[in-house]
Amino acid sequence: MRFVVAVVVALLSPFLAAQGTPPPDPEQFAQEKPTQKRGAPQESPQSRLERLKEMGKRQIDRAIMGPKTTDVKNWSPLAPKQKFHSFVVYTYAPETFISAGLDAIRAKTLSDNAAYEPGFTGYGQHFAVELATNETDAFFQRFLLPIVLKQDPRYLRNPDLPFVRRVLYSVSRVAVTRSDNGKNTFNASLILGAAASQAISDIYVPGHQQGLWPIGRRMAFDLAIDSGFNLFYEFWPDLRRKIFHR
């Protein structure tokens, strides 16, 4: 390549000299490096992997927490549109499907109803029924009743409390919530919403034991699950910092 450049420069030298322009140095011309390509530098595989890992952590955190929770110190009332968004998020949130799975196990274990198929097929039928009930729960508890009763459907974290008080606070939030005026109040949205969805399920669920006592037992089980999720919401950011160091 250097030989070719030298020949070209030698042939052009007389013309350049005649015009008063000194010929360029062949060695200098040959040794010039091409300029960098335009645009951003290529991302290394390691940087791309780190970026994907960080994106995955954010998506996991968003799926777990999302708009369903906020800290007490950052609280502000939700508009009706935001409460509707909270309901929509709950329809596909992981805890909705986990709760349906736990309800299906309970229903299948405690009463092997002849209206359902035996074995895993019966579990699938129970799961479908309980998932429909949980979606009804979300409509009443996260949208309709919070708007009518002017209550906040979210779980409000309180990380400044000591550990034991945080545990008691988390469990108590199934009975206590915050109204739109900022005061603590009875969590009628959650309790009445659970009662309404269980009563409606008696209409279409085959083999359900009807009456106040069976409804009360199913409500108590669901509220116990809600208490467990409240504990998880309360302490997940602390676990995340220990696990992911962020």
Side-chain angles (χ1 to χ4, degrees):
M1 181 66 184
R2 292 186 178 183
F3 176 75
V4 175
V5 172
V7 172
V8 172
V9 172
L11 293 175
L12 295 178
S13 295
F15 299 99
L16 296 174
Q19 296 178 0
T21 304
D25 184 2
E27 292 294 329
Q28 181 182 0
F29 185 79
Q31 292 178 1
E32 287 182 354
K33 295 181 180 180
T35 57
Q36 293 184 348
K37 295 182 178 181
R38 295 181 179 180
Q42 290 186 350
E43 187 178 17
S44 66
Q46 185 175 3
S47 299
R48 187 179 300 111
L49 179 61
E50 291 296 327
R51 183 167 58 85
L52 290 175
K53 288 171 62 177
E54 186 65 25
M55 184 184 302
K57 292 176 183 178
R58 289 197 301 269
Q59 291 300 324
I60 291 173
D61 192 51
R62 182 179 179 183
I64 293 175
M65 304 295 283
K68 303 184 292 293
T69 66
T70 189
D71 287 1
V72 170
K73 59 185 177 182
N74 298 327
W75 178 86
S76 60
L78 295 180
K81 183 178 180 180
Q82 293 172 306
K83 292 178 181 179
F84 177 76
H85 178 63
S86 176
F87 153 65
V88 172
V89 169
Y90 264 96
T91 60
Y92 57 84
E95 56 264 37
T96 300
F97 296 90
I98 294 174
S99 297
L102 295 175
D103 287 334
I105 293 174
R106 173 189 173 277
K108 181 66 176 175
T109 303
L110 295 183
S111 59
D112 195 4
N113 197 320
Y116 298 92
E117 297 290 334
F120 287 104
T121 303
Y123 276 113
Q125 293 172 332
H126 277 290
F127 178 80
V129 169
E130 299 300 340
L131 182 59
T133 304
N134 283 358
E135 299 292 358
T136 309
D137 275 343
F139 175 75
F140 284 111
Q141 296 174 340
R142 312 297 171 182
F143 173 58
L144 182 61
L145 291 178
I147 289 180
V148 174
L149 302 176
K150 301 185 184 302
Q151 294 182 341
D152 196 319
R154 298 171 294 178
Y155 174 73
L156 306 181
R157 295 183 64 249
N158 201 347
D160 296 332
L161 293 176
F163 176 77
V164 175
R165 290 186 62 187
R166 285 181 75 183
V167 172
L168 296 176
Y169 168 85
S170 301
V171 174
S172 69
R173 294 306 98 177
V174 296
V176 181
T177 189
R178 182 167 292 192
S179 62
D180 290 347
N181 61 13
K183 297 180 180 179
N184 287 337
T185 185
F186 174 65
N187 198 349
S189 298
L190 189 70
I191 305 297
L192 296 180
S197 63
Q198 290 296 335
I200 292 174
S201 69
D202 279 349
I203 300 174
Y204 63 87
V205 176
H208 249 189
Q209 293 181 357
Q210 299 182 351
L212 294 178
W213 177 242
I215 288 177
R217 285 184 301 181
R218 294 194 298 268
M219 283 179 55
F221 184 77
D222 288 342
L223 292 176
I225 294 176
D226 290 337
S227 297
F229 280 121
N230 286 350
L231 286 169
F232 185 74
Y233 295 147
E234 182 67 37
F235 292 102
W236 166 248
D238 303 325
L239 296 173
R240 178 190 61 197
R241 282 190 290 269
K242 292 183 179 297
I243 297 172
F244 297 120
H245 305 290
R246 57 184 291 269

